[in-house]
Amino acid sequence: MFLMIGINQGRKDLSSDQLVICSQCGQYGRYQVFMTFTQLLLFFIPCFRWGKKYYVQMSCCGTVYELNPEIGARIARGEKVEIGPADLQIVSSGRRARMVRRCPACGYQTEEDFDFCPKCGGPLS
């Protein structure tokens, strides 16, 4: 007789439809809530989960926050919960949206934070 036991890392996406203005990029985005965990497999069947952590990823820029475990567990149970800024702790910053600026004199476009156009020297608006 043999016994097949395994341990792996898992991820489960949770339902959340909260629309917010992102504090990192300033655009509208949606919270994408997910849970990570470690699980014990017996004959490829998940038997036991531990080390659950809840995260929120912004749909606009990809910034990831760790979510308060109590709020995350309520969302996992299917409750409609409003996530506030106090419930989030930043884990990693996503790509920042950059504003494209256009020179009114020559039409040159740049993403840099210049006061004057690098092509013609005119003031950027």
Side-chain angles (χ1 to χ4, degrees):
M1 185 171 140
F2 66 94
L3 189 61
M4 292 182 62
I5 297 177
I7 295 177
N8 73 352
Q9 302 292 319
R11 173 184 164 143
K12 180 179 179 183
D13 293 329
L14 304 174
S15 174
S16 178
D17 58 355
Q18 189 172 342
L19 188 66
V20 295
I21 296 176
C22 181
S23 63
Q24 296 295 308
C25 69
Q27 297 179 348
Y28 279 105
R30 189 175 59 82
Y31 285 152
Q32 298 169 331
V33 181
F34 63 95
M35 172 180 65
T36 61
F37 53 86
T38 305
Q39 66 183 356
L40 174 70
L41 302 170
L42 181 61
F43 292 107
F44 304 105
I45 299 171
C47 296
F48 181 68
R49 289 182 179 168
W50 70 92
K52 294 178 184 176
K53 289 190 176 182
Y54 300 93
Y55 295 95
V56 171
Q57 184 170 16
M58 295 300 300
S59 63
C60 52
C61 64
T63 300
V64 177
Y65 298 93
E66 187 168 352
L67 181 61
N68 180 335
E70 294 172 5
I71 302 294
R74 289 176 58 194
I75 292 172
R77 287 192 300 264
E79 295 179 29
K80 296 286 184 190
V81 179
E82 182 91 14
I83 300 170
D87 300 323
L88 301 173
Q89 183 177 4
I90 193 162
V91 174
S92 69
S93 248
R95 58 178 165 71
R96 285 193 175 250
R98 302 204 71 167
M99 191 169 110
V100 177
R101 297 175 75 192
R102 180 182 205 101
C103 177
C106 69
Y108 182 77
Q109 293 182 358
T110 182
E111 290 183 353
E112 299 297 328
D113 192 23
F114 295 134
D115 291 331
F116 297 95
C117 177
K119 187 173 180 184
C120 73
L124 292 174
S125 55

